[in-house]
Amino acid sequence: NGSTDSVPPPYTYTEFGSFLISLIVSNDCGSDTLSQSVFISPPPANPTILANTFDGCSPFELTLFDASQGVYDSLYWSLEGGSPNESFESDPVVIYENPGEYLVHLQLFRSGIQNGLAEQIIRVFEPPLADFETSLNELSLSTTNLSEAAQSFLWNFGDDTESNEFEPVHLYQTSGDYEVTLLAINPGCSDSLSQLVSVISSTLELSATAFKLYPNPTSCDIWLEGPEVQSLRLFNFHGQEVRQWAGRDLNNNLGRIDLNDLPSGGYLLLINSDKYGVVRQRIIVE
């Protein structure tokens, strides 16, 4: 295509690439030519990498998906640390054998010219190993976490309570056999271990004594009626002591127990008395 106009109108190329534009001028004495190269770039594509997850445990089998938008006719995956370490497929399957962080590159091409680049970090973790020991003191269970290569934990104490602490202390409400389970978690995988613990307590249920406690459930205070009390201790279900009272803070026959500002949930009240020893009662704060 060409033009004989002194100032030709704008010209639209129908494809991209390198082109040579030549201007030829002439008069009666002859002609002269000036040439200049121009490069018409393709419209940039939008490279996008998708996967169900980019985190997993070794050996980690990962399927990558090319979700790119735009015009391109070929692609290339650079798969650091993976097997294979490169691919020309749209949705390659890669296996990572060793833990670590690896970089994936997706390059898009049109007519052999790079037309887009995207990067994604892949995190490969060592499979965790769950392990723990426990010790009991009356209704209180202490834990020792011996797990390896885990980032987070979930404990289930067998009585419908859980904890995500590293080494929680848990307070059971009654004696019995409970299955304690520890789930050691990494992104993409986990491991679990369960142990049966037998909880035996010398404490008495409040219903087996002359104590009366009301109202229960409660939204603020409760009242304790009965024999003389030496002390009161209140625990949440994670085994943490949240309140305590000395016997002198309570009346001889009727004591007001302040539960204001406590979060809603279940608690265990331990009543220490000369007559019965330690008495336990579950309390619900609404």
Side-chain angles (χ1 to χ4, degrees):
N1 293 316
S3 173
T4 58
D5 294 341
S6 174
V7 182
Y11 179 73
T12 301
Y13 286 90
T14 58
E15 58 186 51
F16 66 89
S18 181
F19 301 92
L20 186 67
I21 301 175
S22 297
L23 171 62
I24 304 172
V25 295
S26 60
N27 59 20
D28 293 339
C29 296
S31 64
D32 189 32
T33 301
L34 175 65
S35 297
Q36 180 177 326
S37 294
V38 297
F39 179 75
I40 307 301
S41 300
N46 180 23
T48 304
I49 302 172
L50 293 181
N52 292 332
T53 177
F54 295 112
D55 298 336
C57 290
S58 61
F60 179 30
E61 183 175 296
L62 171 64
T63 300
L64 295 165
F65 300 98
D66 169 34
S68 305
Q69 302 293 321
V71 180
Y72 58 100
D73 50 34
S74 63
L75 55 79
Y76 172 72
W77 295 90
S78 175
L79 307 168
E80 173 194 6
S83 178
N85 59 14
E86 63 177 359
S87 177
F88 297 93
E89 299 179 5
S90 294
D91 305 326
V93 177
V94 195
I95 296 177
Y96 294 90
E97 295 287 351
N98 300 313
E101 286 194 357
Y102 304 99
L103 196 61
V104 165
H105 293 88
L106 171 61
Q107 300 179 63
L108 306 180
F109 296 90
R110 185 174 178 184
S111 297
I113 300 172
Q114 182 175 301
N115 195 30
L117 173 66
E119 296 180 344
Q120 176 63 49
I121 294 177
I122 309 298
R123 299 191 304 166
V124 183
F125 298 88
E126 183 179 349
L129 177 64
D131 191 16
F132 67 95
E133 294 178 352
T134 62
S135 61
L136 284 164
N137 181 12
E138 291 282 337
L139 296 172
S140 180
L141 175 78
S142 298
T143 59
T144 301
N145 194 335
L146 304 174
S147 303
E148 298 178 6
Q151 288 198 342
S152 59
F153 304 92
L154 179 63
W155 296 84
N156 186 305
F157 298 104
D159 60 351
D160 298 325
T161 59
E162 295 181 337
S163 173
N164 56 12
E165 297 179 8
F166 181 71
E167 291 181 337
V169 174
H170 180 66
L171 198 64
Y172 287 100
Q173 305 306 299
T174 60
S175 301
D177 294 331
Y178 300 91
E179 186 175 59
V180 179
T181 300
L182 171 60
L183 187 66
I185 305 167
N186 271 343
C189 61
S190 62
D191 185 45
S192 65
L193 177 67
S194 297
Q195 296 181 12
L196 188 67
V197 297
S198 295
V199 179
I200 301 175
S201 176
S202 60
T203 62
L204 294 174
E205 293 281 359
L206 185 134
S207 58
T209 70
F211 283 110
K212 294 182 180 180
L213 186 144
Y214 54 88
N216 187 21
T218 182
S219 58
C220 52
D221 298 334
I222 56 175
W223 298 87
L224 179 66
E225 181 179 341
E228 185 176 346
V229 171
Q230 294 180 359
S231 64
L232 301 179
R233 301 175 70 191
L234 187 68
F235 296 83
N236 61 24
F237 282 2
H238 298 296
Q240 300 165 328
E241 185 173 9
V242 294
R243 297 276 172 88
Q244 62 175 289
W245 299 266
R248 62 178 178 274
D249 298 329
L250 305 167
N251 295 327
N252 288 335
N253 295 316
L254 189 66
R256 172 180 173 271
I257 302 175
D258 181 7
L259 301 182
N260 285 292
D261 302 324
L262 283 178
S264 300
Y267 296 86
L268 183 67
L269 180 67
L270 295 184
I271 306 167
N272 188 9
S273 67
D274 288 332
K275 183 174 182 178
Y276 298 108
V278 179
V279 177
R280 65 180 183 270
Q281 175 62 37
R282 181 177 179 177
I283 295 173
I284 303 298
V285 176
E286 298 177 332

